[in-house]
Structure formats: structure tokens, C-alpha cells
Amino acid sequence: DIQMTQSPSSVSASVGDRVTITCRASEAINNWVAWYQQKPGKAPTLLIFGATSLQDGVPSRFRGSGSGTDFTLTINSLQPEDLATYFCQEAKSFPLTFGGGTKVEIK
Amino acid sequence: QVSLVQSGGRVVQPGTSLRLSCVVSGFSLSNTAVHWVRQAPGRGLEWVALLSSVGNNHYRDSVQGRFTVSRDLSRNTVSLQMNDLRHEDTGVYFCTRRRPVSGVDYFDSWGQGSLVTVSS
């Protein structure tokens, strides 16, 4: 199974700050990575697919980068509504696996 | 408008069975894969099973032989039959659609989730 190691597990930042979340895959996975946002008590929503492509309707302050084994989700100019947990997911092989999650809190 | 509406979650005893349903609209199960993903309380996301657009299945090892995904095209419904349930199967189960066109298993629409609690 491919392991997705996500860091940090939590981050606290102020409105307007830039937040960076990373995921490292245990083997090369090309660009087959997605990022999801999950608000408390809700289902996840897709933010980024193919490592860098923004899903329709997602604000442009969300940006994905990386390829191979190292991937990054950047939230530029953090907004109050970005309070959530963020997960990466690899889509190279079964079983599909997710990172452990990063909880983003607003200072 | 794409929608996935789930039903069937409840409290059950270990060793028993439960069936979850996911009624979809806004797309066809004949050309779209549906997956099940679960989340244990306070934990991360775990992929469980796939039902492909042509009806093929794939399961994670821990549920292989106990869980079965099926579909009823006439009712636009995907079902997850869970047998011999264990404490570690407790969690919220989501049905989710593979993002069309991408050809890769990214999940662009999700059901609201069904809570399954396995407890004696």
C-alpha cells in the first residue's frame, strides 16, 4: 500500500496568512494526488485534483503543487471559512489512501 | 445537479449485518464509478470499496469477503452490504462519485454520510 504522510497535523494561523500543508508519498505517484477540505460534521469536498488543477467553484486562493513523491497545498490569504481539516489522497493504486489530515484553526 | 443521498446507518451488534444505500441523481451509474469511503470517529478517511461503471468491484483487504457493493440501475442506487461486522468497522460511511472525464479516482461529489456503530 502507498503511504501518504501529511504534515503538520494541525496549524493555527491568522486571517490573511498563507498556510502550507505537505504530503509525502511512500513511492512515486506521478501527479495522481487530490486534496479535500472537510468541515466539522460534513462530507469532504474536492479542492484540487491532478496535484495542481483547481476543482470548479473552488476559490483561487487554494493552490496545489508537486509531483513524484512530494506535494503541497497552499492556502493564500486564509479566510475564516477555511476553518476545516484538509486531506491529501493518492489515486495511483488500490487501496486508495489518504493522508492523516491537517486541522486548520484560525487564531 | 449531482446528488448522492444515503440511508441505512444504525447501531448493530458484532457479527451481524447491515445494508447501506446510496441513491444518486444527476449522473448515470452506467458510466460513472462509485466508491465507499469511511471515517472512524475522530479519525481520518479510509477507502473501502469501488463499484466501477461496468460493474466490477474492488475492496480493501480488511473488508474483502465480508462487504459487497452492488447496484440497481433501474433505481439509481448503489448498496453496500456489510456482513460479520466488527467493532473496527464503526464509523461514518460515505458514498462518493469518481470525478468524470479525469480517468482517475478523484472524488468530486459525496453523500451526506451514514453512521454505523458496531457495539455489544
Side-chain angles (χ1 to χ4, degrees):
Chain A
D1 300 1
I2 296 173
Q3 307 302 316
M4 299 294 285
T5 303
Q6 187 173 339
S7 62
S9 57
S10 66
V11 58
S12 182
S14 299
V15 173
D17 283 354
R18 175 179 296 168
V19 172
T20 300
I21 300 167
T22 63
C23 256
R24 172 163 288 177
S26 59
E27 64 182 70
I29 56 173
N30 200 341
N31 66 338
W32 294 319
V33 162
W35 290 93
Y36 300 88
Q37 177 191 68
Q38 186 178 32
K39 296 186 176 181
K42 300 294 186 182
T45 60
L46 178 64
L47 299 174
I48 302 286
F49 62 94
T52 60
S53 298
L54 196 66
Q55 173 70 354
D56 290 345
V58 175
S60 59
R61 63 180 179 275
F62 291 94
R63 179 176 176 272
S65 61
S67 66
T69 59
D70 294 313
F71 302 90
T72 300
L73 174 69
T74 301
I75 309 173
N76 290 300
S77 188
L78 188 71
Q79 298 300 301
E81 59 267 30
D82 300 335
L83 166 71
T85 301
Y86 295 82
F87 296 93
C88 59
Q89 175 233 328
E90 62 82 15
K92 181 188 178 190
S93 62
F94 292 106
L96 305 174
T97 55
F98 294 83
T102 296
K103 186 174 184 178
V104 174
E105 298 172 320
I106 310 295
K107 283 182 183 175
Chain B
Q1 183 81 0
V2 173
S3 173
L4 298 88
V5 178
Q6 299 181 228
S7 61
R10 61 183 175 94
V11 179
V12 296
Q13 293 191 330
T16 62
S17 299
L18 186 64
R19 188 178 187 89
L20 304 181
S21 294
C22 175
V23 179
V24 309
S25 59
F27 67 97
S28 172
L29 294 173
S30 298
N31 55 31
T32 306
V34 171
H35 296 250
W36 290 88
V37 173
R38 67 186 178 186
Q39 187 169 35
R43 305 293 298 275
L45 300 167
E46 182 176 78
W47 175 82
V48 175
L50 154 71
L51 178 64
S52 76
S53 60
V54 295
N56 296 330
N57 299 116
H58 204 105
Y59 303 94
R60 69 178 302 107
D61 286 351
S62 62
V63 308
Q64 180 76 48
R66 299 189 298 124
F67 289 14
T68 303
V69 184
S70 61
R71 65 186 181 182
D72 183 337
L73 294 176
S74 67
R75 297 182 182 222
N76 296 320
T77 300
V78 177
S79 297
L80 179 65
Q81 176 67 40
M82 303 183 290
N83 298 331
D84 188 23
L85 282 161
R86 305 168 181 171
H87 290 290
E88 55 266 34
D89 295 318
T90 292
V92 176
Y93 285 70
F94 298 98
C95 59
T96 180
R97 178 184 86 153
R98 180 205 238 199
R99 186 180 181 278
V101 180
S102 64
V104 182
D105 291 294
Y106 306 126
F107 309 129
D108 74 338
S109 296
W110 296 66
Q112 82 277 19
S114 295
L115 177 59
V116 174
T117 304
V118 184
S119 174
S120 50

